[in-house]
Amino acid sequence: MPSLGRLHLITDTRPGRDPLAVLRAVLPVARTELVVQVRVEDTATDREAYDLARRVVGLCAPYGVTCLVNDRLHVALAAGAAGGHVGADDLPVDAARRVLGPDSVLGATAREPVSAVAAVNAGASYLGVGPCHATTTKDGLPPAIGAAGVRAVVEAVNVPVIAIGGVTAEGVPALRAAGAYGVALVGALSGAADPACVAAELLRGLSC
Ligand SMILES: Cc1ncc(COP(=O)(O)OP(=O)(O)O)c(N)n1
Ligand SMILES: Cc1nc(C(=O)O)sc1CCOP(=O)(O)O
Ligand SMILES: [Mg+2]
Protein backbone atom coordinates (compact mmCIF):
# COMPACT_ATOMS: atom_id res chain seq x y z
CA MET A 1 0.00 0.00 0.00
CA PRO A 2 1.48 3.42 -0.92
CA SER A 3 2.38 5.68 2.01
CA LEU A 4 -0.36 8.23 2.52
CA GLY A 5 0.19 11.92 1.81
CA ARG A 6 -1.01 14.48 4.30
CA LEU A 7 -2.62 17.00 1.93
CA HIS A 8 -5.77 15.63 0.30
CA LEU A 9 -7.04 17.72 -2.59
CA ILE A 10 -10.63 16.83 -3.46
CA THR A 11 -11.67 17.80 -6.96
CA ASP A 12 -14.22 20.58 -7.23
CA THR A 13 -16.45 19.98 -10.23
CA ARG A 14 -19.03 22.63 -9.45
CA PRO A 15 -19.82 25.03 -12.30
CA GLY A 16 -17.09 27.60 -12.83
CA ARG A 17 -14.39 25.54 -11.12
CA ASP A 18 -11.39 24.05 -12.91
CA PRO A 19 -10.17 21.03 -10.95
CA LEU A 20 -7.39 20.14 -13.38
CA ALA A 21 -5.94 23.67 -13.33
CA VAL A 22 -5.89 23.54 -9.53
CA LEU A 23 -4.23 20.14 -9.63
CA ARG A 24 -1.57 21.31 -12.10
CA ALA A 25 -0.74 24.20 -9.79
CA VAL A 26 -0.55 22.12 -6.62
CA LEU A 27 1.28 19.02 -7.89
CA PRO A 28 4.79 20.51 -8.20
CA VAL A 29 4.50 22.12 -4.78
CA ALA A 30 3.08 19.23 -2.79
CA ARG A 31 4.49 16.28 -4.72
CA THR A 32 4.23 13.05 -2.68
CA GLU A 33 2.64 14.86 0.26
CA LEU A 34 -0.41 15.16 -2.00
CA VAL A 35 -3.33 12.77 -2.34
CA VAL A 36 -5.93 13.61 -4.96
CA GLN A 37 -9.49 12.39 -4.48
CA VAL A 38 -11.61 12.50 -7.60
CA ARG A 39 -15.07 13.52 -6.43
CA VAL A 40 -17.79 14.40 -8.90
CA GLU A 41 -21.33 15.61 -8.37
CA ASP A 42 -23.92 12.86 -7.84
CA THR A 43 -25.51 13.94 -11.13
CA ALA A 44 -22.34 13.23 -13.12
CA THR A 45 -22.31 10.13 -15.27
CA ASP A 46 -19.87 7.29 -14.72
CA ARG A 47 -18.30 8.23 -18.05
CA GLU A 48 -17.66 11.75 -16.81
CA ALA A 49 -16.22 10.43 -13.57
CA TYR A 50 -14.02 8.00 -15.45
CA ASP A 51 -12.76 10.63 -17.88
CA LEU A 52 -11.81 12.96 -15.03
CA ALA A 53 -10.22 10.13 -13.05
CA ARG A 54 -8.11 9.06 -16.04
CA ARG A 55 -6.85 12.59 -16.50
CA VAL A 56 -6.07 12.95 -12.80
CA VAL A 57 -4.26 9.59 -12.70
CA GLY A 58 -2.25 10.71 -15.72
CA LEU A 59 -1.26 14.01 -14.13
CA CYS A 60 -0.40 12.39 -10.80
CA ALA A 61 1.69 9.53 -12.17
CA PRO A 62 4.90 11.47 -12.98
CA TYR A 63 4.92 12.83 -9.43
CA GLY A 64 4.20 9.50 -7.76
CA VAL A 65 1.08 11.06 -6.26
CA THR A 66 -1.73 8.83 -5.00
CA CYS A 67 -5.08 9.22 -6.73
CA LEU A 68 -8.30 7.98 -5.11
CA VAL A 69 -11.88 8.00 -6.37
CA ASN A 70 -14.81 8.95 -4.16
CA ASP A 71 -17.86 6.66 -4.00
CA ARG A 72 -17.53 4.95 -7.40
CA LEU A 73 -15.14 2.08 -6.82
CA HIS A 74 -15.64 0.59 -10.28
CA VAL A 75 -14.39 3.90 -11.66
CA ALA A 76 -11.39 3.74 -9.34
CA LEU A 77 -10.49 0.28 -10.60
CA ALA A 78 -11.11 1.10 -14.25
CA ALA A 79 -9.10 4.33 -14.11
CA GLY A 80 -6.11 2.74 -12.40
CA ALA A 81 -6.48 4.76 -9.19
CA ALA A 82 -4.79 3.60 -5.99
CA GLY A 83 -8.08 3.23 -4.15
CA GLY A 84 -11.27 4.92 -3.08
CA HIS A 85 -13.23 6.62 -0.34
CA VAL A 86 -16.65 5.58 0.98
CA GLY A 87 -19.16 7.06 3.41
CA ALA A 88 -22.51 6.19 4.93
CA ASP A 89 -24.42 6.23 1.62
CA ASP A 90 -21.83 4.20 -0.29
CA LEU A 91 -20.78 0.56 -0.23
CA PRO A 92 -20.14 -0.66 3.32
CA VAL A 93 -16.44 -0.64 4.18
CA ASP A 94 -16.06 -4.44 4.19
CA ALA A 95 -17.70 -4.69 0.77
CA ALA A 96 -15.57 -1.82 -0.52
CA ARG A 97 -12.46 -3.63 0.70
CA ARG A 98 -13.53 -6.77 -1.17
CA VAL A 99 -14.07 -4.77 -4.34
CA LEU A 100 -10.73 -2.95 -4.14
CA GLY A 101 -8.65 -5.84 -2.83
CA PRO A 102 -6.28 -6.01 0.12
CA ASP A 103 -3.55 -3.71 -1.18
CA SER A 104 -5.57 -0.67 -2.22
CA VAL A 105 -6.01 2.52 -0.21
CA LEU A 106 -9.51 2.62 1.27
CA GLY A 107 -10.78 5.68 3.10
CA ALA A 108 -13.97 5.75 5.12
CA THR A 109 -15.90 8.64 6.61
CA ALA A 110 -16.33 8.54 10.38
CA ARG A 111 -17.70 11.25 12.62
CA GLU A 112 -17.22 9.71 16.06
CA PRO A 113 -15.18 6.94 17.72
CA VAL A 114 -17.64 4.03 17.56
CA SER A 115 -18.16 4.15 13.81
CA ALA A 116 -14.48 4.93 13.37
CA VAL A 117 -13.43 1.70 15.10
CA ALA A 118 -16.01 -0.25 13.09
CA ALA A 119 -14.68 1.21 9.82
CA VAL A 120 -11.11 0.28 10.68
CA ASN A 121 -12.14 -3.25 11.68
CA ALA A 122 -13.95 -3.54 8.35
CA GLY A 123 -10.84 -2.64 6.40
CA ALA A 124 -10.44 1.13 6.17
CA SER A 125 -6.83 2.20 5.79
CA TYR A 126 -7.54 5.83 6.73
CA LEU A 127 -10.50 7.80 8.04
CA GLY A 128 -11.97 11.07 6.79
CA VAL A 129 -13.26 12.80 9.94
CA GLY A 130 -15.49 15.84 10.05
CA PRO A 131 -17.01 18.19 9.37
CA CYS A 132 -14.42 19.99 11.45
CA HIS A 133 -15.87 23.41 10.69
CA ALA A 134 -18.83 24.86 8.83
CA THR A 135 -18.64 24.47 5.07
CA THR A 136 -20.71 25.59 2.12
CA THR A 137 -19.20 22.96 -0.18
CA LYS A 138 -21.54 20.14 0.82
CA ASP A 139 -25.16 20.31 2.01
CA GLY A 140 -26.80 18.21 4.69
CA LEU A 141 -23.83 17.66 6.95
CA PRO A 142 -24.22 17.28 10.72
CA PRO A 143 -22.93 20.04 13.04
CA ALA A 144 -19.19 20.68 13.07
CA ILE A 145 -17.19 18.49 15.47
CA GLY A 146 -14.20 20.82 15.83
CA ALA A 147 -10.69 19.79 16.79
CA ALA A 148 -12.05 18.06 19.91
CA GLY A 149 -14.17 15.73 17.77
CA VAL A 150 -11.16 14.90 15.64
CA ARG A 151 -9.12 14.15 18.76
CA ALA A 152 -11.79 11.74 20.03
CA VAL A 153 -11.50 9.69 16.84
CA VAL A 154 -7.69 9.86 16.77
CA GLU A 155 -7.58 8.41 20.27
CA ALA A 156 -9.82 5.51 19.25
CA VAL A 157 -8.03 4.22 16.14
CA ASN A 158 -4.59 3.38 14.83
CA VAL A 159 -4.96 4.53 11.22
CA PRO A 160 -4.33 8.02 9.81
CA VAL A 161 -7.11 10.51 10.46
CA ILE A 162 -7.72 13.05 7.71
CA ALA A 163 -9.66 16.07 8.94
CA ILE A 164 -12.24 17.47 6.52
CA GLY A 165 -14.81 20.23 6.36
CA GLY A 166 -14.08 23.95 6.33
CA VAL A 167 -10.35 23.34 6.63
CA THR A 168 -8.09 26.31 5.93
CA ALA A 169 -4.37 26.86 6.41
CA GLU A 170 -5.14 28.84 9.56
CA GLY A 171 -6.99 25.86 11.00
CA VAL A 172 -4.31 23.27 10.35
CA PRO A 173 -2.22 23.75 13.54
CA ALA A 174 -5.21 23.03 15.81
CA LEU A 175 -6.13 19.95 13.81
CA ARG A 176 -2.54 18.68 13.90
CA ALA A 177 -2.45 19.33 17.64
CA ALA A 178 -5.58 17.20 17.92
CA GLY A 179 -3.71 14.35 16.25
CA ALA A 180 -4.92 14.63 12.66
CA TYR A 181 -2.43 13.05 10.29
CA GLY A 182 -3.56 15.26 7.42
CA VAL A 183 -6.36 17.35 5.99
CA ALA A 184 -8.73 17.14 3.02
CA LEU A 185 -9.99 20.24 1.28
CA VAL A 186 -12.17 21.38 -1.55
CA GLY A 187 -12.88 25.10 -1.33
CA ALA A 188 -9.70 26.43 0.27
CA LEU A 189 -7.69 25.25 -2.72
CA SER A 190 -10.27 25.35 -5.49
CA GLY A 191 -11.34 28.89 -4.65
CA ALA A 192 -7.86 30.26 -4.06
CA ALA A 193 -6.43 32.93 -6.34
CA ASP A 194 -3.07 31.17 -6.00
CA PRO A 195 -3.60 27.47 -5.16
CA ALA A 196 0.15 26.75 -5.19
CA CYS A 197 0.73 29.39 -2.53
CA VAL A 198 -2.12 28.06 -0.37
CA ALA A 199 -0.81 24.51 -0.79
CA ALA A 200 2.63 25.60 0.40
CA GLU A 201 1.04 27.27 3.43
CA LEU A 202 -0.99 24.14 4.18
CA LEU A 203 2.13 21.98 3.93
CA ARG A 204 4.00 24.21 6.36
CA GLY A 205 1.21 23.65 8.89
CA LEU A 206 1.14 19.93 8.22
CA SER A 207 4.87 19.52 8.73
CA CYS A 208 4.69 20.72 12.36
C1 LIG B 1 -11.26 12.49 3.17
C2 LIG B 1 -12.75 12.46 3.04
N1 LIG B 1 -13.48 12.45 4.15
C3 LIG B 1 -14.83 12.43 4.08
C4 LIG B 1 -15.45 12.41 2.84
C5 LIG B 1 -16.94 12.38 2.71
O1 LIG B 1 -17.38 11.16 2.14
P1 LIG B 1 -18.94 10.83 2.16
O2 LIG B 1 -19.40 10.90 3.56
O3 LIG B 1 -19.15 9.57 1.44
O4 LIG B 1 -19.58 12.03 1.33
P2 LIG B 1 -19.35 12.36 -0.23
O5 LIG B 1 -17.97 12.94 -0.36
O6 LIG B 1 -19.48 11.09 -0.99
O7 LIG B 1 -20.40 13.36 -0.56
C6 LIG B 1 -14.64 12.43 1.69
N2 LIG B 1 -15.17 12.40 0.46
N3 LIG B 1 -13.30 12.43 1.82
C1 LIG C 1 -17.13 16.35 0.80
C2 LIG C 1 -17.17 16.68 2.24
N1 LIG C 1 -17.39 15.75 3.20
C3 LIG C 1 -17.41 16.28 4.42
C4 LIG C 1 -17.69 15.51 5.63
O1 LIG C 1 -17.62 16.07 6.74
O2 LIG C 1 -17.95 14.33 5.48
S1 LIG C 1 -17.09 17.95 4.43
C5 LIG C 1 -16.96 17.94 2.75
C6 LIG C 1 -16.68 19.18 1.96
C7 LIG C 1 -15.29 19.70 2.21
O3 LIG C 1 -15.15 20.85 1.46
P1 LIG C 1 -14.45 22.16 2.02
O4 LIG C 1 -13.01 21.87 2.20
O5 LIG C 1 -14.67 23.17 0.93
O6 LIG C 1 -15.15 22.54 3.29
MG1 LIG D 1 -19.61 9.15 -0.44
Side-chain angles (χ1 to χ4, degrees), residues 8 10 37 39-40 42 68 70-71 85-90 107-111 126-130 138-139 141 162-165 183-185:
H8 292 223
I10 301 182
Q37 184 190 129
R39 179 176 183 269
V40 296
D42 288 343
L68 308 176
N70 186 47
D71 295 349
H85 186 100
V86 294
D89 294 336
D90 309 315
T109 304
R111 310 198 186 282
Y126 77 88
L127 297 177
V129 175
K138 178 173 169 162
D139 294 330
L141 286 167
I162 305 299
I164 186 170
V183 295
L185 315 88

Side-chain angles (χ1 to χ4, degrees), residues 91-153:
L91 279 182
V93 177
D94 59 345
R97 175 53 77 195
R98 286 197 299 278
V99 170
L100 290 177
D103 298 328
S104 294
V105 180
L106 175 57
T109 304
R111 310 198 186 282
E112 39 69 39
V114 172
S115 62
V117 170
V120 173
N121 289 339
S125 44
Y126 77 88
L127 297 177
V129 175
C132 300
H133 305 294
T135 178
T136 56
T137 302
K138 178 173 169 162
D139 294 330
L141 286 167
I145 62 171
V150 172
R151 183 186 296 278
V153 173

Side-chain angles (χ1 to χ4, degrees), residues 11 13 19-20 38 40 48-57:
T11 58
T13 58
L20 295 178
V38 175
V40 296
E48 288 165 337
Y50 173 77
D51 287 345
L52 178 59
R54 286 295 297 168
R55 296 182 74 177
V56 170
V57 166

